[in-house]
């Protein structure tokens, strides 16, 4: 589970509802004070939320980019449906396209799409439906196909538990398995509240998606959209070598953030933001 440094947005951002043709989505919308150079729509990972990007908002806006972090359907503060079929990857991808339209970038600045982990695979699916709204795609700690065998086991265990236990009961069970350094904090009340507000149907459906996702790298390469593959130097969800090989297949920019693992956005936000800005500036 990602652990953002805070759930409080910085002064440059406001929490609001992004109204789209497919419903409302909770976002953190950070707007630069000076001339806008572009907009980035950021999609969180499995069990994550828009707050996973909170530490990126100030450095991105300081560089002139509007940064919009979104809770996907059934994630944290965006309402869910309680129905697993509504979380099919195609439905989530169409949500992203609707969110992009609702961002109102009529000033002509480009829209960059960024997805972390599960969010990267949803972002890829959106691009494969329609690449035209986007200037680039960044896949952050998000691999070419299904997650590693160990992570597939964890996703299945969680999905099975969610069919028979309450969210409170599953939270308590997960905390009992925490390493000592995490157990000492109890996971944090903000993390607990986020967990409890997730739609269990969303977690079951997307956990299954992560476990069976096919390799669509060649399809993505065929779009011609510039791609950035960014990760930490270690990752137990997709091996770092696999991410590097994917970047090669895509002809993509490749960045490895030293000292980070699966969530460079929370572990090394300044370095991550600098790498993102350098990629967008290169375009």
């Amino acid at each position: 589970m990602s652990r953002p440094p805070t759930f409080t947005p910085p002064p440059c951002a406001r929490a609001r509802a992004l109204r789209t043709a497919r419903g409302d989505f909770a976002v953190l919308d950070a707007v630069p004070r000076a001339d806008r150079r572009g907009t980035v729509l950021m999609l969180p990972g499995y069990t994550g939320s828009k707050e996973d990007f909170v530490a990126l908002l100030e450095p991105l806006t300081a560089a002139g980019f509007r940064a919009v972090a979104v809770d996907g359907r059934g994630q944290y503060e965006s309402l869910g449906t309680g129905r697993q079929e509504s979380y099919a990857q195609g439905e989530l991808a169409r949500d992203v396209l609707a969110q992009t339209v609702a961002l109102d970038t009529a000033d002509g600045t480009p829209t960059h799409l960024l997805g972390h982990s599960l969010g990267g695979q949803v972002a890829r699916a959106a691009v494969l439906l329609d690449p035209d709204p986007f200037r680039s795609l960044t896949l952050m700690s998000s691999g070419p196909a299904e997650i590693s065998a160990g992570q597939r086991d964890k996703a299945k265990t969680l999905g099975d538990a969610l069919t028979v236990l309450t969210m409170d009961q599953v939270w308590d069970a997960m905390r009992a398995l925490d390493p000592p350094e995490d157990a000492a904090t109890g996971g944090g009340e903000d993390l607990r509240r986020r967990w409890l507000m997730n739609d269990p149907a969303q977690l079951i459906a997307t956990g299954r998606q992560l476990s069976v996702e096919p390799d669509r790298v060649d399809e993505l390469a065929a779009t011609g959209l510039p791609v950035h593959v960014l990760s930490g130097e270690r990752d137990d969800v997709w091996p770092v070598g696999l991410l590097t090989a994917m970047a090669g297949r895509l002809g993509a920019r490749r960045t490895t953030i030293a000292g980070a693992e699966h969530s460079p956005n929370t572990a090394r936000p300044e370095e991550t933001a600098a790498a993102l800005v350098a990629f967008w500036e290169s375009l």
Side-chain angles (χ1 to χ4, degrees), residues 177-227:
L177 297 173
D178 274 347
E181 60 272 19
D182 292 340
T185 66
E189 187 53 36
D190 287 328
L191 293 176
R192 180 177 181 276
R193 184 177 68 253
R194 177 175 71 176
W195 170 260
L196 294 177
M197 291 176 67
N198 278 295
D199 182 355
Q202 180 264 129
L203 294 169
I204 294 170
T206 55
R208 186 181 304 117
Q209 285 173 33
L210 284 167
S211 299
V212 300
E213 177 74 2
D215 187 320
R216 305 187 72 186
V217 174
D218 292 344
E219 293 176 67
L220 179 58
T223 68
L225 191 71
V227 179

Side-chain angles (χ1 to χ4, degrees), residues 1-10 28 42-57 60 68-72 75-76 114-119 140 190-191 194 198 262-270 272 276:
M1 179 178 293
S2 60
R3 295 174 180 267
T6 178
F7 275 65
T8 302
L28 296 176
M42 300 185 287
L43 316 180
Y46 186 58
T47 75
S49 70
K50 60 191 180 300
E51 286 72 20
D52 292 346
F53 302 109
V54 74
L56 296 180
L57 300 180
L60 292 184
V68 182
V70 61
D71 287 336
Q75 284 184 320
Y76 192 27
L114 181 155
H116 173 238
S117 196
L118 169 70
M140 181 184 291
D190 287 328
L191 293 176
R194 177 175 71 176
N198 278 295
H262 187 61
S263 296
N265 43 315
T266 61
R268 295 289 187 272
E270 292 291 340
T272 299
L276 294 172

